[in-house]
Amino acid sequence: MSGITDPSSPSEAAKRKAAAAKSYIENMYRSQTEAQEKRRLRKEKIEAEISRRQLPEEEKQRIMQANDQRERDFLRLQRQRLSAVDFEPLTIIGRGAFGEVRVCKEKQTGKTFAMKKLKKAEMLRRGQVDHVKAERNVLAEVHNPYVVKLFYSFQDDEYLYLVMEYLAGGDVMTLLMRKDVLSEEETRFYVAETVLAIESIHKSNYIHRDIKPDNLLLDVNGHMKLSDFGLCKPVDVSLLPTLHENEAEDSLKRIASPALNRTQSEQLSHWQQNRRKLAFSTVGTPDYIAPEVLLKKGYGMECDWWSLGAIMYEMLVGYPPFYSDDPVSTCRKIVNWRQCLRFPPEVRLPPAAQDLMERLLCDVDDRLGSHGTEQLKAHPFFAGVDWESMYLQRSPYVPIVTHELDTQNFEHFDEDARGVSGSGAKRWARADPNFIGYTYKSYEAVQPVDGSGQVHLKKRGSSRPKLSQLQSNFNSMVLGSPDIGEQ
């Protein structure tokens, strides 16, 4: 009879519990399997290196014993539950719509890190869950000297945390604000390192989509590392008005004015006055976004090469190629780049540099990098670049860093009682089905910190969940009751 519920069919609450249990258990066993495989590969790599170097038996035994000790240390670290109270929060070096970034010290080891702290509620409200998962995944999977290194990720009831290496050299945006323009040598160096960074994330099938100068961080030696995979607030193209390609010339002149009528020095001055405000605005800056992204046509990895061209233009000219007085005008100029891309005559650009920018700021099918990075690396602008040893070379710019906690190369942020500061009163999160699998600990986190060759770890209870804890986890995913297990 209609309207009568079949008593044998599960309720919606039961279905949610079952789905949560399935996801939780799958993630737990997948993590264990992946950990075993990675441990095996690390051991094979060391054995191959020992064999290649034909080391004596005594030295071989010493190396293998050290490796076994490090693996034991890592297993102990994996069993520990990290939380915000394990870190001493220090200076804020970044703040955005979703949270903040602070320099911090790990209390047990004294190591310095950068901790990114993000509000779960904001992530959910703004539909950014996939973005935050993408950043955690790419940082955990891509191990490359040109990508910022992730050591830990964890969560509590209110926040997500990413604990990364602290790069005290600041970012390329701050560098450009200090120098206005970069030399050809500096531009070549940083564009080349950015090529290697983008190449590494593309090889792992990730698209950054929002590469811009404030996402290019500098270490103490002046080398560049790519950051902010999905956590920086990208321009929400769904909120933009409908954009059209091939607008009439007179229409474009009206929307681009007065920017088109300014000289290069006037445009540079105007950009300098507004860039910091635009970077931290609630809207975000679209200056580096590819036209196919703005036109909502669908896009691929090629959009990151457009962003590289826009950054290179700013490095050599002093402002982005399509900068206008408001974001919508900038977007209209980007999608009509054929009419709006201009190189100021006052700036004497090397022919190879201008050619490279023209071959990045163009149609997707013609864009360098769209068919692999080798064609990009072979461009005449990069003549003489040793791609294999970039990170071993001396950087043409070395930032001033006086000590490991130095933050002079970052913007100053006041402590804000209304912001994300605080929390940590409760160590661990209740089970959250939105962020299952978020916890991560890097093998590199167990590098020796003293002469003993052994990492000092706290003696805590095992975080391996008991059967009763698993049941509590599943219940909390549906009913909101607390739990102490890692996710």
Side-chain angles (χ1 to χ4, degrees), residues 357-378:
M357 287 184 281
E358 288 174 339
R359 299 184 68 183
L360 291 171
L361 300 169
C362 61
D363 276 327
V364 171
D365 292 339
D366 300 324
R367 199 174 298 161
L368 281 182
S370 297
H371 306 290
T373 53
E374 293 309 312
Q375 59 172 187
L376 183 55
K377 293 178 180 179

Side-chain angles (χ1 to χ4, degrees), residues 260-284:
L260 281 178
N261 297 323
R262 298 189 187 115
T263 65
Q264 186 266 343
S265 59
E266 290 171 340
Q267 183 80 326
L268 176 58
S269 177
H270 194 272
W271 169 246
Q272 290 171 336
Q273 294 171 20
N274 288 278
R275 69 176 305 159
R276 183 68 70 176
K277 180 174 67 176
L278 287 168
F280 293 102
S281 71
T282 57
V283 178

Side-chain angles (χ1 to χ4, degrees), residues 124-138:
L124 292 166
R125 187 174 70 83
R126 302 193 186 202
Q128 298 295 307
V129 173
D130 288 341
H131 289 167
V132 73
K133 288 181 178 178
E135 169 144 30
R136 180 263 184 222
N137 291 342
V138 70

Side-chain angles (χ1 to χ4, degrees), residues 40-56:
R40 183 185 65 80
L41 292 174
R42 286 193 294 266
K43 184 175 182 180
E44 287 182 356
K45 184 177 180 180
I46 291 175
E47 289 174 338
E49 181 64 15
I50 289 174
S51 176
R52 186 186 67 82
R53 293 167 59 183
Q54 298 182 334
L55 296 175

Side-chain angles (χ1 to χ4, degrees), residues 176-195:
L176 288 168
M177 291 180 71
R178 290 177 175 175
K179 301 191 72 167
D180 294 342
V181 296
L182 303 187
S183 67
E184 182 181 356
E185 178 192 9
E186 290 169 333
T187 300
R188 180 179 294 107
F189 184 84
Y190 287 120
V191 170
E193 290 202 326
T194 308
V195 167

Side-chain angles (χ1 to χ4, degrees), residues 28 38 40 90 114 120 163 191 202 212 220 224 230 245 364 383 404 422 438 442 453 459 462:
M28 184 170 62
K38 289 177 180 178
R40 183 185 65 80
L90 301 171
K120 282 184 176 180
V163 180
V191 170
H202 285 183
K212 53 190 176 184
V220 294
M224 189 282 306
E245 296 178 273
V364 171
E404 67 173 349
Y438 190 77
S442 170
K459 292 183 179 179
S462 172

